[in-house]
């Protein structure tokens, strides 16, 4: 059971890992950690999310909290609730002490979990691990108490986004959106219509936790088949979301722009931008942004990037996978719905995505390549590889080693990354180089080293 308490969130299989007893205890012990009177809860489209909601609410009630429930919402809307005063009938404006989103994100349908915000900050890492130990050692019995205050955050969120982007009224978008039967469909059409954006199509809009059309993970090319067909038929742009709509994929007729490249596009339209990204991001992004702003490399993980974004007061953070966080004009949260409209601003301004992408120095890179290992061994293996690389630095022709998260090895013509996943028992690798030959050379060199230790 301890394995469900992960670096960035709590995640497991419904009823096998996430049992009634465990979820009630999670609610109770989280409630004890949240300052103030109120906590906000919402959930994604998975079929068991409403059941987990009621178990969680029982635990929160036991802790003495008053629960506001927004029902089914995107994760970005759940985060949004922490930054806005909420208006309660008979009470007036209140500020919540934290929020919990019930979501399995892009995992298979039998999975679910919790993304937690306390005092406007992500609750993660050592705090989640400590919560896990408390849950395991707790013998409290929690009765059913599913009372909550129904709160219409959906319309607050729709109104806010619509007002922020009212200048897009009349935009002839000619785009397709793929909600993947996740929660993007709860708010997307309402916002588009309220703003008055024209000429678009929405695929798989109805939330359905069985995901009958395709799995909601836009990092997998096979899940983009439907929007690519629409691009071939004449659409200019495509947007696709993961299950809880905190990650985005954006495509045009020529390219699928990963999160690090999108960060570069956004940075080009900011004055003196400060941008944070992760160890998996292209070196091109860092080098090019540093020509007109500041780019910081940091650990992978939405909670890590969010935390550093607040600390450094940067404008923007981004993961290759499509988590994008705007501190500029927003709240520093990964909200793919909001990001969509920032992209639409660039479209309205006539930004040439393909042209700007093609101006960048040409590099060749791989997707994430994963190597199976065990939870017990993955970090030990990384430490051994790091030691080996440092001891053989000159012999291997290594220019620099960045060990902020795993090990990113810089060579004359490119780089390779080896890191332990914080969510699964795998090593994650990625490679990038100036030529195809250099890419193969770097990949083969580092893969041979990995084989010695796995």
């Amino acid at each position: 059971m301890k394995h469900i308490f992960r670096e960035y969130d709590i995640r497991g299989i419904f009823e096998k890992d996430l049992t009634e007893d465990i979820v009630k205890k999670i609610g109770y012990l989280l409630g004890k950690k949240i300052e103030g009177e109120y906590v906000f809860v919402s959930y994604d489209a998975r079929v068991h999310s409403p059941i987990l909601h009621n178990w969680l609410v029982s635990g929160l009630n036991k802790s003495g909290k008053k629960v506001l429930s927004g029902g089914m919402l995107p994760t970005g809307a759940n985060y949004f609730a922490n930054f806005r005063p909420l208006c309660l009938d008979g009470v007036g404006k209140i500020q919540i002490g934290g929020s919990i989103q019930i979501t399995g994100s892009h995992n298979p349908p039998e999975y679910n979990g919790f993304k937690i915000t306390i005092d406007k900050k992500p609750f993660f890492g050592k705090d989640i691990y400590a919560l896990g130990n408390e849950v395991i050692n707790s013998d409290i019995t929690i009765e059913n108490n599913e009372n909550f205050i129904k709160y219409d955050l959906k319309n607050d969120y729709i109104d806010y986004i619509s007002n922020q982007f009212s200048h897009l009224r009349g935009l002839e978008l000619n785009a397709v959106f793929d909600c993947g039967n996740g929660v993007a469909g709860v708010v997307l059409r309402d916002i588009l219509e309220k703003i008055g954006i024209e000429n678009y199509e929405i695929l798989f809009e109805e939330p359905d936790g069985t995901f009958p059309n395709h799995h909601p993970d836009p990092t997998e090319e096979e899940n983009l088949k439907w929007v690519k067909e629409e691009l071939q038929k004449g659409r200019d742009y495509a947007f696709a979301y993961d299950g809880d709509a905190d990650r985005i994929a954006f495509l045009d007729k020529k390219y699928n722009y990963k999160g690090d490249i999108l960060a570069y596009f956004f940075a080009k339209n900011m004055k003196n931008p400060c941008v944070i990204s992760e160890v998996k991001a292209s070196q091109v992004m860092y080098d090019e942004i540093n020509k007109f702003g500041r780019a910081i490399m940091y650990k992978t993980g939405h909670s890590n990037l969010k935390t550093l974004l607040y600390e450094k007061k940067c404008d923007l953070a981004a993961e290759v996978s499509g988590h994008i966080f705007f501190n500029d004009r927003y709240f520093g949260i990964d909200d793919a719905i909001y990001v969509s409209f920032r992209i639409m601003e660039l479209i309205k301004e006539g930004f040439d995505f393909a042209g700007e992408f093609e101006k960048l120095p040409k590099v060749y890179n791989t997707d994430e390549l994963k190597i199976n290992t065990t939870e017990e061994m993955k970090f030990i293996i990384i430490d051994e590889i790091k030691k080996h690389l440092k001891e053989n630095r000159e012999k291997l022709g290594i220019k620099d080693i960045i060990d902020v998260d795993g090990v990113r090895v810089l060579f004359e013509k490119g780089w390779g990354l080896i890191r332990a996943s914080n969510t699964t028992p795998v090593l994650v690798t990625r490679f990038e180089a100036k030529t195809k030959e250099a890419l193969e050379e770097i990949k083969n060199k580092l893969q041979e080293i990995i084989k010695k230790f796995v």
Side-chain angles (χ1 to χ4, degrees), residues 25 41 46 51 60 71 110 170 172 192 216 237 302 330 344-346 354 385 395 401 411 442:
K25 287 176 179 175
V41 176
R46 288 166 192 262
I51 300 169
L60 289 166
E110 65 271 22
E172 280 282 341
L192 290 165
Y237 305 103
H302 65 93
Y330 204 45
M344 288 179 226
E345 283 186 332
L346 297 183
I385 291 173
K395 187 168 76 173
I401 294 173
F411 298 94
I442 292 169

Side-chain angles (χ1 to χ4, degrees), residues 109-389:
E110 65 271 22
Y111 280 82
N112 218 316
F114 309 99
K115 292 181 178 178
I116 304 154
T117 305
I118 296 179
D119 190 26
K120 299 185 176 68
K121 299 180 183 69
F123 182 85
F124 73 109
K126 66 181 189 306
D127 292 327
I128 283 186
Y129 298 135
L131 174 69
N133 289 329
E134 291 177 46
V135 170
I136 290 166
N137 293 316
S138 173
D139 58 3
I140 190 170
T141 300
I142 300 172
E143 64 278 4
N144 291 332
N145 180 357
E146 298 167 5
N147 292 323
F148 58 83
I149 302 164
K150 188 174 181 181
Y151 190 85
D152 184 15
L153 187 82
K154 173 184 169 181
N155 281 317
D156 284 356
Y157 177 79
I158 289 168
D159 287 346
Y160 181 90
I161 302 293
S162 303
N163 289 335
Q164 291 293 307
F165 295 98
S166 59
H167 53 284
L168 297 179
R169 176 168 297 279
L171 173 64
E172 280 282 341
L173 189 58
N174 194 26
V176 58
F177 298 86
D178 184 351
C179 296
N181 298 112
V183 284
V186 173
V187 297
L188 180 61
R189 186 180 296 276
D190 288 341
I191 299 171
L192 290 165
E193 289 183 351
K194 189 155 192 173
I195 293 173
I197 288 171
E198 298 173 3
N199 191 10
Y200 59 86
E201 180 181 4
I202 302 179
L203 305 179
F204 315 133
E205 181 179 5
E206 189 65 29
D208 182 342
T210 66
F211 307 120
N213 294 290
H214 67 79
H215 192 63
D217 182 357
T219 64
E220 299 290 341
E221 288 292 324
E222 65 199 48
N223 297 323
L224 299 173
K225 181 177 81 172
W226 293 267
V227 294
K228 286 180 177 179
E229 287 174 357
E230 293 304 315
L231 290 169
Q232 289 171 0
K233 291 176 186 174
R235 293 292 181 184
D236 292 327
Y237 305 103
F239 301 75
Y241 307 96
D242 68 342
D244 64 331
D246 61 359
R247 287 191 298 136
I248 191 170
F250 174 65
L251 304 82
D252 62 18
K253 291 181 183 297
K254 295 186 77 172
Y255 301 108
N256 176 4
Y257 303 102
K258 304 296 185 182
D260 50 351
I261 299 303
L262 287 175
Y264 168 72
F265 291 159
F266 291 128
K268 275 192 70 89
N269 289 270
M270 295 176 179
K271 188 175 180 181
N272 301 319
C274 175
V275 178
I276 301 169
S277 195
E278 52 163 339
V279 291
K280 290 186 286 185
S282 173
Q283 191 62 40
V284 170
M285 183 213 71
Y286 291 106
D287 293 345
E288 293 300 310
I289 289 177
N290 278 325
K291 290 177 180 178
F292 56 84
R294 182 184 177 207
I296 301 170
M297 186 183 296
Y298 197 50
K299 299 175 185 177
T300 292
H302 65 93
S303 299
N304 292 319
L305 292 177
K306 232 180 295 194
T307 301
L308 192 67
L309 186 63
Y310 299 146
E311 290 175 3
K312 298 289 187 182
K313 296 181 171 57
C314 285
D315 301 291
L316 175 69
E319 282 192 307
V320 176
S321 64
H323 284 279
I324 297 178
F325 318 72
F326 275 100
N327 220 10
D328 172 66
R329 295 165 45 199
Y330 204 45
F331 305 113
I333 56 178
D334 40 335
D335 178 351
I337 302 297
Y338 178 86
V339 173
S340 301
F341 290 93
R342 292 292 292 250
I343 293 171
M344 288 179 226
E345 283 186 332
L346 297 183
I347 291 170
K348 184 168 185 178
E349 291 162 12
F351 188 83
D352 180 5
F353 296 94
E356 291 295 334
F357 182 62
E358 288 166 356
K359 287 179 190 174
L360 293 171
K362 178 66 175 174
V363 291
Y364 300 85
N365 50 41
T366 67
D367 289 330
E368 289 184 19
L369 305 174
K370 296 176 182 178
I371 300 159
N372 292 325
T373 178
T374 65
E375 289 289 341
E376 296 75 26
M377 287 301 298
K378 62 186 183 182
F379 291 109
I380 296 170
I381 292 169
I382 290 294
D383 287 339
E384 290 296 319
I385 291 173
K386 195 182 299 182
K387 182 181 175 186
H388 176 85
L389 290 168

